Amino acid sequence: MTDRKIPVTRSSMPPFEEYVEEIRGLWDSRWLSNRGALHRRFEEQLERYLGTPHVSLFANGHLALEAVIQAAGLTGEVITTPFTHISTSHAIVRNGLEPVFCDILESDLTIDPGKIEALITEKTSAIVATHVYGYLCHVDDIERIAKKHGLVVIYDGAHAFGETLDGVGVGNFGDAVMFSTHATKVFHTIEGGIVTYRDPSAFPSLDEIVNFGFTGNDEIGYIGTNARMNEFEAAMGLCNLKYLEREIASRRMASELYAQRLSGVPGIRLLRPQEKVTYNYAYHPVIFDGFKYDREQVLKRLADRDIFARRYFYPAVDRAECYNGRYAHYETPVAQYHADHVLTLPLYAGMAPEDVERVCDAILR
Ligand SMILES: Cc1ncc(COP(=O)(O)O)c(C=O)c1O
């Protein structure tokens, strides 16, 4: 008998009856999108859960990032990194801005604050950096640099929903933070995105951009888009929020088992947890750094055993075909190295310990 498939991830589902109960009212109200009752209730719950004063909801994380960059009114160049989802730099480029690629830190794969200032020119307007796998950017150093040079800071927190730093919700750092609530994320709304921010005056058009830029019934003040979250998605969020702590605890168990089996193995590097951060255990990245098999061989060994890991992020964003030759070249050796050496292992709530063992056996034996 062959073993079951182990997927790279698996969407969490709330109890079916609870979801049905949540959407039942829609058959009476017939209000399915455009800031319905569930959307508004979900926003309020998120403000409480994330501990942030303002939350705006979107159809997905990518459009949320595009919208907040547009609403910030950025110009010229934006400093970002090549070790992130293509969405981060696409959101910059699709706003007519130029990405400037900064290298990352080996310790947590986030933007290297020590390399930012050398990239700042008179055209720089912002830093858009990613909390990679839920490892947080060095927010204090970044804030200091941003203040000194008058830059906006927007975090791509697609991986960092619900995390805290020293007890403070991660949505409070920088001028704004985007969280993706895609079906594969720790917390999801099927498709969805969230932007948190403290000062609405910094993003005056955000809630209009989401709806084509309408500022009144017949007034269109901004060149917006359609990035609305619908009521079925908000209902999924309301249901999933109730189970989030349990989901995170379950992922944590699997993640700790991986760490036990894989730490100390020659040629395998694991990222060390950052101090004062409570994680959501979104991913379990492993760096194959002189291991007896290289990353591609490990990926194949796993796939041959019906286990699906992911090269994430690969290729490095600046190596994507669509960016080829379009922007200035920046040396980012740490990002390039990790794009070629990292795998994220299967991880999801309810992952059986035997499945974690099977993944580890397939790597190690
Ligand atoms: C770092 C990062 N940014 C942005 C996105 C885009 O989010 P979404 O898929 O919700 O559009 C993702 C998606 O996985 C991501 O990993």
Side-chain angles (χ1 to χ4, degrees), residues 114-258:
K115 294 192 176 148
I116 293 176
E117 284 197 277
L119 297 171
I120 296 174
T121 70
E122 70 283 356
K123 292 195 206 147
T124 310
S125 61
I127 299 168
V128 176
T130 301
H131 296 313
V132 177
Y133 310 134
Y135 286 80
L136 302 186
C137 293
H138 295 243
V139 292
D140 291 341
D141 295 337
I142 293 170
E143 187 177 328
R144 191 179 35 76
I145 296 166
K147 275 218 172 100
K148 182 170 156 196
H149 296 274
L151 305 178
V152 172
V153 178
I154 297 173
Y155 287 112
D156 178 336
H159 300 177
F161 184 89
E163 294 190 341
T164 61
L165 172 62
D166 211 2
V168 178
V170 70
N172 290 291
F173 298 100
D175 293 286
V177 182
M178 177 280 281
F179 300 104
S180 161
T181 54
H182 178 251
T184 56
K185 297 291 188 270
V186 173
F187 170 72
H188 80 87
T189 57
I190 310 171
E191 288 276 359
I194 299 168
V195 173
T196 59
Y197 47 103
R198 281 167 299 170
D199 177 10
S201 72
F203 306 99
S205 54
L206 190 62
D207 286 336
E208 284 77 31
I209 287 172
V210 70
N211 186 29
F212 301 110
F214 274 96
T215 41
N217 274 348
D218 301 312
E219 291 140 30
I220 304 120
Y222 306 103
I223 303 173
T225 184
N226 177 357
R228 297 181 300 247
M229 179 179 279
N230 68 47
E231 290 290 272
F232 290 85
E233 291 166 333
M236 184 58 93
L238 285 165
C239 290
N240 278 339
L241 204 52
K242 290 187 227 157
Y243 297 95
L244 184 57
E245 295 306 319
R246 201 177 76 186
E247 299 284 301
I248 291 174
S250 170
R251 284 168 170 270
R252 178 185 179 149
M253 267 161 43
S255 201
E256 286 176 351
L257 193 50
Y258 272 131

Side-chain angles (χ1 to χ4, degrees), residues 14 21 34 54 175 203 209 291 324 357 364:
E21 208 40 57
N34 297 65
H54 300 284
D175 293 286
F203 306 99
I209 287 172
F291 185 55
N324 201 355
E357 299 283 0
L364 299 174

